[in-house]
Amino acid sequence: QVQLVESGGGLVQAGGSLRVSCAASGRTFDSYAMGWFRQVPGKARDFVAAISWSGEDEYYTDSVKGRFSISRDSAKNMVYLQMNSLKPEDTAVYYCVVDRALSSIVGGGPCDYWGQGTQVTVSS
């Protein structure tokens, strides 16, 4: 059974940094792309960042470019999202995703697997 478990969310002041992590289990994800979405109440889940199976290709939504960085450790089935210069508008539940196709993640889904989410709150 595939499981994606996020961790590292919390409360941070504007301008601060936070790193969220996702542990994937239940199969090997070497050939899968991984990524992050986020959602605020009343709105759809939005694409944030994605990384290819090799780790060589990264994609970001425009609003986080230059501030967020995605990385993965395929040996550990982990994906990370380093978030710097956080803004109140980054407040959301952040979801880890995994999919065979990078384009599915970058295109906004649907994705093969989703985590349960971790709350990130940025105070002004």
PDB file of all heavy atoms in Angstrom, residues 17 42 71 83 89 108 110:
ATOM      1  N   SER A  17      11.836  30.965   7.018  1.00  0.00           N
ATOM      2  CA  SER A  17      12.031  29.773   6.193  1.00  0.00           C
ATOM      3  C   SER A  17      11.436  28.553   6.879  1.00  0.00           C
ATOM      4  O   SER A  17      11.309  28.508   8.107  1.00  0.00           O
ATOM      5  CB  SER A  17      13.517  29.526   5.945  1.00  0.00           C
ATOM      6  OG  SER A  17      14.111  30.594   5.233  1.00  0.00           O
ATOM      7  N   GLY A  42     -11.578  26.689   0.534  1.00  0.00           N
ATOM      8  CA  GLY A  42     -12.484  27.228  -0.460  1.00  0.00           C
ATOM      9  C   GLY A  42     -11.924  27.310  -1.864  1.00  0.00           C
ATOM     10  O   GLY A  42     -12.631  27.749  -2.784  1.00  0.00           O
ATOM     11  N   SER A  71      13.719  19.267  -3.847  1.00  0.00           N
ATOM     12  CA  SER A  71      14.799  18.292  -3.989  1.00  0.00           C
ATOM     13  C   SER A  71      14.264  16.914  -3.604  1.00  0.00           C
ATOM     14  O   SER A  71      13.197  16.802  -3.009  1.00  0.00           O
ATOM     15  CB  SER A  71      15.993  18.668  -3.113  1.00  0.00           C
ATOM     16  OG  SER A  71      15.632  18.693  -1.748  1.00  0.00           O
ATOM     17  N   MET A  83      11.395  26.293   1.700  1.00  0.00           N
ATOM     18  CA  MET A  83      10.649  27.524   1.447  1.00  0.00           C
ATOM     19  C   MET A  83      11.313  28.676   2.180  1.00  0.00           C
ATOM     20  O   MET A  83      11.402  28.663   3.418  1.00  0.00           O
ATOM     21  CB  MET A  83       9.198  27.350   1.920  1.00  0.00           C
ATOM     22  CG  MET A  83       8.481  26.193   1.250  1.00  0.00           C
ATOM     23  SD  MET A  83       6.776  25.987   1.785  1.00  0.00           S
ATOM     24  CE  MET A  83       7.031  25.365   3.433  1.00  0.00           C
ATOM     25  N   GLU A  89       0.725  34.985   1.995  1.00  0.00           N
ATOM     26  CA  GLU A  89      -0.038  34.320   0.929  1.00  0.00           C
ATOM     27  C   GLU A  89       0.453  32.908   0.623  1.00  0.00           C
ATOM     28  O   GLU A  89      -0.172  32.182  -0.160  1.00  0.00           O
ATOM     29  CB  GLU A  89      -0.048  35.151  -0.362  1.00  0.00           C
ATOM     30  CG  GLU A  89       1.312  35.605  -0.825  1.00  0.00           C
ATOM     31  CD  GLU A  89       1.639  37.021  -0.383  1.00  0.00           C
ATOM     32  OE1 GLU A  89       1.376  37.350   0.797  1.00  0.00           O
ATOM     33  OE2 GLU A  89       2.184  37.777  -1.211  1.00  0.00           O
ATOM     34  N   GLY A 108      -1.009  20.261 -13.129  1.00  0.00           N
ATOM     35  CA  GLY A 108      -2.044  20.439 -12.127  1.00  0.00           C
ATOM     36  C   GLY A 108      -2.822  19.195 -11.753  1.00  0.00           C
ATOM     37  O   GLY A 108      -3.862  19.297 -11.102  1.00  0.00           O
ATOM     38  N   PRO A 110      -4.647  15.206 -12.657  1.00  0.00           N
ATOM     39  CA  PRO A 110      -4.576  14.401 -11.441  1.00  0.00           C
ATOM     40  C   PRO A 110      -3.270  13.639 -11.330  1.00  0.00           C
ATOM     41  O   PRO A 110      -2.586  13.422 -12.319  1.00  0.00           O
ATOM     42  CB  PRO A 110      -5.766  13.444 -11.590  1.00  0.00           C
ATOM     43  CG  PRO A 110      -5.921  13.284 -13.061  1.00  0.00           C
ATOM     44  CD  PRO A 110      -5.561  14.615 -13.658  1.00  0.00           C
TER      45      PRO A 110
END
